[in-house]
Amino acid sequence: MLQDFFKDLTLPSFLQSVFEKEEWYLVTAQLIEILNNSITQTELNSGDETLKITGKVHIGSNCTIGQYVVIDGPVYIDDDVEIGPHAFIRPGTVILKGCSIGHAAEIKNSIMMEGAKIANHCFLGDSIIGKKARLGGHSETANRRFDQQPIEFTYRDFKIQTQMPKLGLVLGDGSRLGGGVFTAPGTM
């Protein structure tokens, strides 16, 4: 199933073993623990004087970070990432090389693969978006059912019960969602 979404995975070492498992899509529930165990201390190789950081955070080299960005660790941000002003990066977030986060976007418990982009005023929660995937402005990934039952999703002809209270979107490599799109919990 993994190959249906992601053709060429380039992952940091702390995520490689998770994506070798059959139920790799459950990683979003484990991201805070994985990052807390992987990031030993805050490391800032890029930043802005108005950047507000709490918790353990790794920010790679050559990143452009807009004014008044808030990062609440544990968070891993790779090299060459662009984060627009007023973005909010919440715990459990992994943003890989060359990604772009738009103005006032919010991310939590999510993985953005290399070169992925989310535009202005997006919410990406408990989700995985593939290499060079894009979310248009004002898009939101719903991550919890209204009736608060565990998330299930249909993959091909199979209904998969995740037993997870929260799971947003899995968006494959190169896929795009237009502006103003709202996805249901467990969308693949």
Side-chain angles (χ1 to χ4, degrees):
M1 176 166 74
L2 179 68
Q3 292 300 314
D4 290 343
F5 294 96
F6 312 115
K7 305 296 182 213
D8 178 30
L9 280 176
T10 306
L11 297 167
S13 59
F14 62 84
L15 284 179
Q16 289 175 351
S17 65
V18 175
F19 278 88
E20 292 169 0
K21 296 178 182 175
E22 186 174 322
E23 293 182 331
W24 54 268
Y25 49 85
L26 301 178
V27 68
T28 58
Q30 305 162 8
L31 283 172
I32 290 174
E33 180 182 351
I34 290 169
L35 289 170
N36 270 325
N37 293 332
S38 301
I39 301 172
T40 56
Q41 63 184 17
T42 295
E43 183 177 341
L44 307 176
N45 297 306
S46 304
D48 173 85
E49 65 274 359
T50 61
L51 175 63
K52 182 178 185 237
I53 292 179
T54 58
K56 293 192 238 177
V57 174
H58 169 90
I59 299 177
S61 300
N62 301 316
C63 294
T64 303
I65 299 176
Q67 292 188 320
Y68 305 104
V69 170
V70 175
I71 302 175
D72 188 8
V75 168
Y76 178 87
I77 300 171
D78 208 343
D79 299 335
D80 305 314
V81 170
E82 181 180 337
I83 301 174
H86 302 278
F88 185 18
I89 315 299
R90 291 171 53 191
T93 298
V94 176
I95 302 168
L96 297 180
K97 186 174 182 157
C99 287
S100 177
I101 293 96
H103 168 77
E106 181 177 353
I107 307 171
K108 74 169 273 293
N109 272 358
S110 295
I111 300 172
M112 292 178 65
M113 303 290 186
E114 286 188 6
K117 296 181 178 185
I118 64 171
N120 60 302
H121 298 91
C122 285
F123 172 71
L124 182 67
D126 302 281
S127 299
I128 305 169
I129 63 172
K131 189 178 281 187
K132 296 189 178 178
R134 294 184 178 197
L135 267 66
H138 301 270
S139 294
E140 291 191 25
T141 58
N143 58 349
R144 187 170 180 102
R145 288 175 43 154
F146 186 73
D147 62 6
Q148 299 190 9
Q149 295 300 306
I151 306 297
E152 61 185 30
F153 65 88
T154 302
Y155 175 72
R156 296 193 177 172
D157 294 330
F158 302 99
K159 189 167 283 239
I160 298 173
Q161 305 291 331
T162 68
Q163 301 307 312
M164 294 175 60
K166 294 182 179 180
L167 178 63
L169 167 73
V170 175
L171 186 65
D173 290 342
S175 298
R176 295 177 179 211
L177 295 180
V181 171
F182 288 76
T183 62
T187 298
M188 296 220 164

mmCIF file of all heavy atoms in Angstrom, residues 145-165:
data_model
loop_
_atom_site.group_PDB
_atom_site.id
_atom_site.type_symbol
_atom_site.label_atom_id
_atom_site.label_comp_id
_atom_site.label_asym_id
_atom_site.label_seq_id
_atom_site.Cartn_x
_atom_site.Cartn_y
_atom_site.Cartn_z
ATOM 1 N N ARG A 145 -13.593 12.599 13.815
ATOM 2 C CA ARG A 145 -15.003 12.446 13.450
ATOM 3 C C ARG A 145 -15.885 13.243 14.389
ATOM 4 O O ARG A 145 -15.598 13.358 15.584
ATOM 5 C CB ARG A 145 -15.399 10.974 13.502
ATOM 6 C CG ARG A 145 -14.814 10.164 12.382
ATOM 7 C CD ARG A 145 -15.114 8.698 12.499
ATOM 8 N NE ARG A 145 -16.497 8.423 12.881
ATOM 9 C CZ ARG A 145 -17.127 7.305 12.578
ATOM 10 N NH1 ARG A 145 -16.530 6.368 11.876
ATOM 11 N NH2 ARG A 145 -18.365 7.104 12.989
ATOM 12 N N PHE A 146 -16.970 13.766 13.871
ATOM 13 C CA PHE A 146 -17.894 14.551 14.683
ATOM 14 C C PHE A 146 -18.486 13.719 15.822
ATOM 15 O O PHE A 146 -18.682 14.202 16.927
ATOM 16 C CB PHE A 146 -19.009 15.127 13.800
ATOM 17 C CG PHE A 146 -19.921 16.051 14.539
ATOM 18 C CD1 PHE A 146 -19.490 17.312 14.913
ATOM 19 C CD2 PHE A 146 -21.205 15.666 14.866
ATOM 20 C CE1 PHE A 146 -20.330 18.176 15.601
ATOM 21 C CE2 PHE A 146 -22.056 16.511 15.550
ATOM 22 C CZ PHE A 146 -21.608 17.774 15.920
ATOM 23 N N ASP A 147 -18.735 12.431 15.554
ATOM 24 C CA ASP A 147 -19.284 11.555 16.597
ATOM 25 C C ASP A 147 -18.188 10.993 17.509
ATOM 26 O O ASP A 147 -18.460 10.206 18.407
ATOM 27 C CB ASP A 147 -20.116 10.431 15.985
ATOM 28 C CG ASP A 147 -19.299 9.508 15.085
ATOM 29 O OD1 ASP A 147 -18.054 9.646 15.010
ATOM 30 O OD2 ASP A 147 -19.916 8.630 14.454
ATOM 31 N N GLN A 148 -16.954 11.386 17.282
ATOM 32 C CA GLN A 148 -15.769 11.026 18.064
ATOM 33 C C GLN A 148 -15.504 9.521 18.113
ATOM 34 O O GLN A 148 -14.878 9.018 19.042
ATOM 35 C CB GLN A 148 -15.836 11.645 19.459
ATOM 36 C CG GLN A 148 -15.883 13.155 19.368
ATOM 37 C CD GLN A 148 -15.704 13.861 20.688
ATOM 38 O OE1 GLN A 148 -15.374 13.271 21.693
ATOM 39 N NE2 GLN A 148 -15.911 15.159 20.665
ATOM 40 N N GLN A 149 -15.949 8.801 17.105
ATOM 41 C CA GLN A 149 -15.643 7.379 16.977
ATOM 42 C C GLN A 149 -14.269 7.223 16.322
ATOM 43 O O GLN A 149 -13.772 8.152 15.685
ATOM 44 C CB GLN A 149 -16.716 6.677 16.129
ATOM 45 C CG GLN A 149 -18.090 6.684 16.767
ATOM 46 C CD GLN A 149 -18.087 5.971 18.111
ATOM 47 O OE1 GLN A 149 -17.673 4.826 18.204
ATOM 48 N NE2 GLN A 149 -18.532 6.678 19.142
ATOM 49 N N PRO A 150 -13.637 6.039 16.461
ATOM 50 C CA PRO A 150 -12.330 5.833 15.823
ATOM 51 C C PRO A 150 -12.404 6.023 14.306
ATOM 52 O O PRO A 150 -13.428 5.749 13.681
ATOM 53 C CB PRO A 150 -11.985 4.379 16.169
ATOM 54 C CG PRO A 150 -12.773 4.085 17.406
ATOM 55 C CD PRO A 150 -14.053 4.885 17.264
ATOM 56 N N ILE A 151 -11.304 6.478 13.754
ATOM 57 C CA ILE A 151 -11.232 6.751 12.317
ATOM 58 C C ILE A 151 -11.120 5.440 11.542
ATOM 59 O O ILE A 151 -10.371 4.545 11.920
ATOM 60 C CB ILE A 151 -10.008 7.640 11.993
ATOM 61 C CG1 ILE A 151 -9.999 8.921 12.825
ATOM 62 C CG2 ILE A 151 -9.926 7.927 10.496
ATOM 63 C CD1 ILE A 151 -11.141 9.855 12.593
ATOM 64 N N GLU A 152 -11.859 5.352 10.455
ATOM 65 C CA GLU A 152 -11.733 4.245 9.514
ATOM 66 C C GLU A 152 -11.588 4.834 8.128
ATOM 67 O O GLU A 152 -11.983 5.968 7.873
ATOM 68 C CB GLU A 152 -12.946 3.323 9.580
ATOM 69 C CG GLU A 152 -14.252 4.003 9.225
ATOM 70 C CD GLU A 152 -15.470 3.110 9.415
ATOM 71 O OE1 GLU A 152 -15.445 2.233 10.280
ATOM 72 O OE2 GLU A 152 -16.432 3.321 8.669
ATOM 73 N N PHE A 153 -10.939 4.080 7.251
ATOM 74 C CA PHE A 153 -10.856 4.544 5.870
ATOM 75 C C PHE A 153 -10.968 3.366 4.933
ATOM 76 O O PHE A 153 -10.780 2.217 5.329
ATOM 77 C CB PHE A 153 -9.580 5.354 5.613
ATOM 78 C CG PHE A 153 -8.295 4.582 5.751
ATOM 79 C CD1 PHE A 153 -7.764 3.890 4.688
ATOM 80 C CD2 PHE A 153 -7.606 4.580 6.944
ATOM 81 C CE1 PHE A 153 -6.577 3.187 4.810
ATOM 82 C CE2 PHE A 153 -6.421 3.894 7.089
ATOM 83 C CZ PHE A 153 -5.902 3.190 6.011
ATOM 84 N N THR A 154 -11.324 3.659 3.704
ATOM 85 C CA THR A 154 -11.438 2.635 2.686
ATOM 86 C C THR A 154 -10.249 2.756 1.757
ATOM 87 O O THR A 154 -9.957 3.837 1.232
ATOM 88 C CB THR A 154 -12.755 2.791 1.891
ATOM 89 O OG1 THR A 154 -13.838 2.727 2.818
ATOM 90 C CG2 THR A 154 -12.894 1.707 0.844
ATOM 91 N N TYR A 155 -9.553 1.643 1.584
ATOM 92 C CA TYR A 155 -8.423 1.584 0.659
ATOM 93 C C TYR A 155 -8.719 0.469 -0.324
ATOM 94 O O TYR A 155 -8.879 -0.686 0.076
ATOM 95 C CB TYR A 155 -7.116 1.332 1.406
ATOM 96 C CG TYR A 155 -5.955 1.136 0.487
ATOM 97 C CD1 TYR A 155 -5.433 2.211 -0.207
ATOM 98 C CD2 TYR A 155 -5.423 -0.113 0.275
ATOM 99 C CE1 TYR A 155 -4.389 2.046 -1.081
ATOM 100 C CE2 TYR A 155 -4.380 -0.297 -0.592
ATOM 101 C CZ TYR A 155 -3.855 0.781 -1.269
ATOM 102 O OH TYR A 155 -2.825 0.604 -2.140
ATOM 103 N N ARG A 156 -8.828 0.843 -1.588
ATOM 104 C CA ARG A 156 -9.288 -0.079 -2.621
ATOM 105 C C ARG A 156 -10.631 -0.649 -2.189
ATOM 106 O O ARG A 156 -11.569 0.091 -1.986
ATOM 107 C CB ARG A 156 -8.228 -1.118 -2.918
ATOM 108 C CG ARG A 156 -6.979 -0.488 -3.495
ATOM 109 C CD ARG A 156 -6.048 -1.465 -4.068
ATOM 110 N NE ARG A 156 -4.914 -0.743 -4.656
ATOM 111 C CZ ARG A 156 -3.856 -1.328 -5.105
ATOM 112 N NH1 ARG A 156 -3.766 -2.644 -5.066
ATOM 113 N NH2 ARG A 156 -2.875 -0.620 -5.624
ATOM 114 N N ASP A 157 -10.743 -1.937 -1.989
ATOM 115 C CA ASP A 157 -12.017 -2.528 -1.582
ATOM 116 C C ASP A 157 -12.059 -2.896 -0.106
ATOM 117 O O ASP A 157 -12.955 -3.613 0.329
ATOM 118 C CB ASP A 157 -12.306 -3.781 -2.417
ATOM 119 C CG ASP A 157 -12.526 -3.445 -3.877
ATOM 120 O OD1 ASP A 157 -13.010 -2.326 -4.153
ATOM 121 O OD2 ASP A 157 -12.215 -4.280 -4.747
ATOM 122 N N PHE A 158 -11.102 -2.418 0.671
ATOM 123 C CA PHE A 158 -11.004 -2.802 2.073
ATOM 124 C C PHE A 158 -11.325 -1.629 2.988
ATOM 125 O O PHE A 158 -10.836 -0.522 2.774
ATOM 126 C CB PHE A 158 -9.592 -3.307 2.404
ATOM 127 C CG PHE A 158 -9.171 -4.473 1.570
ATOM 128 C CD1 PHE A 158 -8.350 -4.280 0.467
ATOM 129 C CD2 PHE A 158 -9.599 -5.752 1.874
ATOM 130 C CE1 PHE A 158 -7.956 -5.349 -0.315
ATOM 131 C CE2 PHE A 158 -9.210 -6.828 1.095
ATOM 132 C CZ PHE A 158 -8.392 -6.629 -0.002
ATOM 133 N N LYS A 159 -12.117 -1.885 4.001
ATOM 134 C CA LYS A 159 -12.369 -0.887 5.041
ATOM 135 C C LYS A 159 -11.389 -1.182 6.173
ATOM 136 O O LYS A 159 -11.347 -2.287 6.701
ATOM 137 C CB LYS A 159 -13.799 -0.948 5.539
ATOM 138 C CG LYS A 159 -14.137 0.208 6.464
ATOM 139 C CD LYS A 159 -15.629 0.298 6.696
ATOM 140 C CE LYS A 159 -16.249 0.917 5.481
ATOM 141 N NZ LYS A 159 -16.984 2.107 5.631
ATOM 142 N N ILE A 160 -10.576 -0.187 6.523
ATOM 143 C CA ILE A 160 -9.540 -0.372 7.538
ATOM 144 C C ILE A 160 -9.933 0.392 8.788
ATOM 145 O O ILE A 160 -10.172 1.602 8.743
ATOM 146 C CB ILE A 160 -8.169 0.097 7.009
ATOM 147 C CG1 ILE A 160 -7.787 -0.759 5.795
ATOM 148 C CG2 ILE A 160 -7.109 0.025 8.100
ATOM 149 C CD1 ILE A 160 -6.540 -0.311 5.077
ATOM 150 N N GLN A 161 -10.020 -0.330 9.900
ATOM 151 C CA GLN A 161 -10.328 0.254 11.201
ATOM 152 C C GLN A 161 -9.001 0.625 11.861
ATOM 153 O O GLN A 161 -8.202 -0.250 12.168
ATOM 154 C CB GLN A 161 -11.069 -0.756 12.086
ATOM 155 C CG GLN A 161 -12.326 -1.317 11.456
ATOM 156 C CD GLN A 161 -13.419 -0.287 11.338
ATOM 157 O OE1 GLN A 161 -13.509 0.647 12.122
ATOM 158 N NE2 GLN A 161 -14.268 -0.449 10.342
ATOM 159 N N THR A 162 -8.742 1.909 12.089
ATOM 160 C CA THR A 162 -7.455 2.331 12.643
ATOM 161 C C THR A 162 -7.434 2.318 14.173
ATOM 162 O O THR A 162 -6.362 2.306 14.758
ATOM 163 C CB THR A 162 -7.099 3.761 12.193
ATOM 164 O OG1 THR A 162 -7.995 4.683 12.802
ATOM 165 C CG2 THR A 162 -7.124 3.888 10.684
ATOM 166 N N GLN A 163 -8.595 2.369 14.803
ATOM 167 C CA GLN A 163 -8.708 2.503 16.260
ATOM 168 C C GLN A 163 -8.101 3.807 16.771
ATOM 169 O O GLN A 163 -7.841 3.965 17.958
ATOM 170 C CB GLN A 163 -8.074 1.303 16.985
ATOM 171 C CG GLN A 163 -8.683 -0.026 16.604
ATOM 172 C CD GLN A 163 -10.202 -0.044 16.753
ATOM 173 O OE1 GLN A 163 -10.742 0.367 17.767
ATOM 174 N NE2 GLN A 163 -10.887 -0.509 15.722
ATOM 175 N N MET A 164 -7.832 4.756 15.865
ATOM 176 C CA MET A 164 -7.248 6.047 16.229
ATOM 177 C C MET A 164 -8.346 7.089 16.397
ATOM 178 O O MET A 164 -9.253 7.171 15.562
ATOM 179 C CB MET A 164 -6.256 6.514 15.167
ATOM 180 C CG MET A 164 -5.033 5.627 15.069
ATOM 181 S SD MET A 164 -3.950 6.110 13.713
ATOM 182 C CE MET A 164 -3.532 7.781 14.142
ATOM 183 N N PRO A 165 -8.252 7.932 17.431
ATOM 184 C CA PRO A 165 -9.243 8.998 17.577
ATOM 185 C C PRO A 165 -9.035 10.122 16.570
ATOM 186 O O PRO A 165 -9.966 10.848 16.251
ATOM 187 C CB PRO A 165 -9.027 9.499 19.003
ATOM 188 C CG PRO A 165 -7.613 9.157 19.320
ATOM 189 C CD PRO A 165 -7.298 7.905 18.547
#
